[in-house]
Amino acid sequence: MRLPRGFVTSCDRPNLKDMTPSELEQVISSLGKEKYRARQIMKWIYGSGVTDLEAMTTLAADFRRELGELVRISALRIMGIQTAKDGTKKILYQLEDGLTVESVLIPGKNHWTICISTQAGCQMGCKFCLTGQGDFKRDLLPSEITDQITQARLHTPEGPLLRNCVLMGMGEPLANYENTLKALQIITADAGLNFSGRRITVSTSGLIPGIEQLGRDICVNLAISLNAADNKTRSELMPINRKYPLDQLLAACNRYPLPGRRLLTFEYVLIGGVNSSAKDAQNLCRLLKGTRCKLNLIAFNEFLGSPYRKPNEKDVLAFQKILIENHFTAIVRKSHGDDIMAACGQLSGDHFPGRLPE
Ligand code: SAH
Ligand code: SF4
């Protein structure tokens, strides 16, 4: 048996978890087997968490053995799980090369949301984000993105209750476009992780070509980390704004194909004395006028070494009030798990990162 070109790597056997459903079908057909075998294999991998081809008893024993010589199935290693006072959990995963990444499980009323990482570190350098302060290590592979969900489903009590998935952990998903798209194809496949596209949100700092490509390639929700309503402030906070300034970003967002009544989400981290005044709120209303969206306001989560501070609560509520008066849906997002550095922008891939003294 031989694999088609492109699936052969010189150093290692290809990992079935890096293949999209159609790539796996292609491999299985090239080996002379029926296409539905690919579906069976996916069900073993994603539904039952099997990593050993020998255990896939719906496949003929010869085929299992032969396939096992050609390919492999990886699994992320859980290094630790921390639980915050509010029930939020942070899972630290080890990748095969020893690097670590984090996922966060966030409780809802009847279900849980998993927040997953797409890169080890981040290159975007946003000034208010702990992930952006550390070194960028590398892009995650499709298997490393999806396995954060697979392993959480298998090894945490909340696993079966995971219903929403947000790509808001470490890294910029659209800077690792190809692998993120492949992961999304696996996450939404019914024989894969079987999430509805409606329950998946990709969050970006605003890479316009990626936003446009994502809209063409798959149907998922889009969140944009806006964080400022004028170019001067945004460029100071988020260097990417110098390349893709606000007017162009908003134009791309408005072109994003949103099915039915779905809305774009704009995330806005409120930082004391930087972007949280009444004037900033008014600028934001002007900027987003006519855009089908909702706003998530997040009070800045502090971390050691950051020059920024939380805004006071009064300012947060005043900011929200201005948005609501201008007919926007604006929610002040509770900070989940900040006591274990699991809140937005606090992930570092390190067990005890930039925690502020008690
Ligand atoms: N790179 C993508 C996905 C990561 S999401 C993006 O930036 O959208 C990380 C989210 O946490 C972003 O919305 C970001 O604005 C927010 N964030 C980063 N640092 C934060 C901090 N210190 N406090 C609160 N939110 C923060
Ligand atoms: Fe990267 Fe997003 Fe943090 Fe910016 S906010 S540094 S893009 S993870």
Side-chain angles (χ1 to χ4, degrees):
M1 268 199 200
R2 302 236 345 234
L3 288 173
R5 276 174 54 186
F7 289 105
V8 183
T9 51
S10 53
C11 50
D12 209 348
R13 287 169 295 162
N15 182 356
L16 289 185
K17 282 188 180 167
D18 283 322
M19 297 179 195
T20 63
S22 58
E23 286 173 340
L24 184 58
E25 271 187 8
Q26 201 187 323
V27 166
I28 297 303
S29 312
S30 77
L31 299 175
K33 298 288 170 195
E34 309 89 335
K35 271 193 182 165
Y36 74 88
R37 297 286 180 201
R39 220 183 130 76
Q40 283 183 323
I41 293 173
M42 284 188 71
K43 289 220 158 183
W44 283 112
I45 294 177
Y46 298 105
S48 312
V50 163
T51 52
D52 178 5
L53 276 151
E54 273 307 309
M56 300 187 184
T57 48
T58 49
L59 306 177
D62 296 0
F63 181 47
R64 276 184 259 159
R65 198 170 340 101
E66 284 166 318
L67 195 57
E69 283 165 14
L70 295 171
V71 299
R72 67 189 192 94
I73 306 168
S74 65
L76 290 184
R77 206 161 80 85
I78 295 183
M79 302 270 288
I81 302 181
Q82 287 175 282
T83 305
K85 288 190 197 111
D86 65 7
T88 300
K89 294 194 171 185
K90 183 166 81 170
I91 309 177
L92 186 73
Y93 286 112
Q94 186 174 48
L95 311 178
E96 283 178 342
D97 59 4
L99 291 175
T100 50
V101 293
E102 288 160 326
S103 304
V104 181
L105 306 183
I106 306 155
K109 264 200 202 109
N110 304 311
H111 61 263
W112 286 64
T113 296
I114 184 164
C115 172
I116 58 175
S117 298
T118 53
Q119 297 181 310
C122 184
Q123 274 171 311
M124 310 310 293
C126 303
K127 298 271 168 23
F128 52 84
C129 174
L130 181 61
T131 309
Q133 307 311 299
D135 290 338
F136 172 72
K137 309 284 186 357
R138 66 171 173 83
D139 286 336
L140 299 191
L141 296 165
S143 55
E144 293 167 331
I145 300 172
T146 60
D147 225 31
Q148 295 168 55
I149 305 175
T150 308
Q151 300 307 324
R153 270 199 182 154
L154 289 170
H155 300 297
T156 65
E158 300 74 27
L161 300 173
L162 291 177
R163 202 164 54 146
N164 301 315
C165 172
V166 295
L167 281 67
M168 293 187 187
M170 295 169 70
E172 167 51 53
L174 301 183
N176 179 17
Y177 188 82
E178 216 179 300
N179 292 346
T180 296
L181 178 65
K182 285 186 180 194
L184 289 171
Q185 287 164 342
I186 296 166
I187 296 170
T188 51
D190 59 352
L193 291 165
N194 196 21
F195 276 73
S196 151
R198 229 173 311 131
R199 304 214 164 271
I200 299 174
T201 302
V202 173
S203 179
T204 179
S205 55
L207 279 91
I208 293 178
I211 292 175
E212 292 181 328
Q213 193 62 43
L214 190 73
R216 286 192 286 270
D217 288 341
I218 197 159
C219 185
V220 292
N221 297 307
L222 182 68
I224 297 95
S225 298
L226 199 59
N227 303 330
D230 65 273
N231 279 318
K232 184 168 174 289
T233 312
R234 193 165 194 268
S235 294
E236 268 162 31
L237 293 173
M238 306 179 73
I240 188 68
N241 193 66
R242 293 189 203 120
K243 193 162 180 194
Y244 301 118
L246 280 169
D247 52 337
Q248 292 172 31
L249 176 59
L250 261 294
C253 291
N254 285 319
R255 286 193 299 268
Y256 188 79
L258 282 170
R261 294 154 56 91
R262 281 197 243 170
L263 300 171
L264 293 167
T265 303
F266 288 98
E267 288 159 294
Y268 197 106
V269 179
L270 290 160
I271 306 173
V274 175
N275 63 357
S276 51
S277 69
K279 187 159 170 285
D280 291 315
Q282 281 144 8
N283 283 343
L284 187 56
C285 293
R286 212 166 307 130
L287 183 74
L288 295 181
K289 196 161 191 271
T291 296
R292 287 174 53 204
C293 66
K294 57 181 191 249
L295 283 129
N296 276 343
L297 306 176
I298 315 154
F300 174 67
N301 290 310
E302 300 187 358
F303 55 87
L304 205 61
S306 162
Y308 300 122
R309 290 291 161 254
K310 265 186 199 306
N312 55 50
E313 218 169 307
K314 190 169 85 346
D315 292 346
V316 173
L317 295 177
F319 197 96
Q320 182 191 29
K321 188 158 175 271
I322 293 173
L323 292 169
I324 291 173
E325 281 167 359
N326 282 272
H327 314 291
F328 287 99
T329 305
I331 293 158
V332 178
R333 267 225 324 242
K334 264 195 301 180
S335 200
H336 290 284
D338 51 352
D339 53 326
I340 56 164
M341 296 299 286
C344 292
Q346 293 187 316
L347 301 183
S348 73
D350 181 353
H351 224 6
F352 299 102
R355 194 193 292 216
L356 290 168
E358 297 277 329

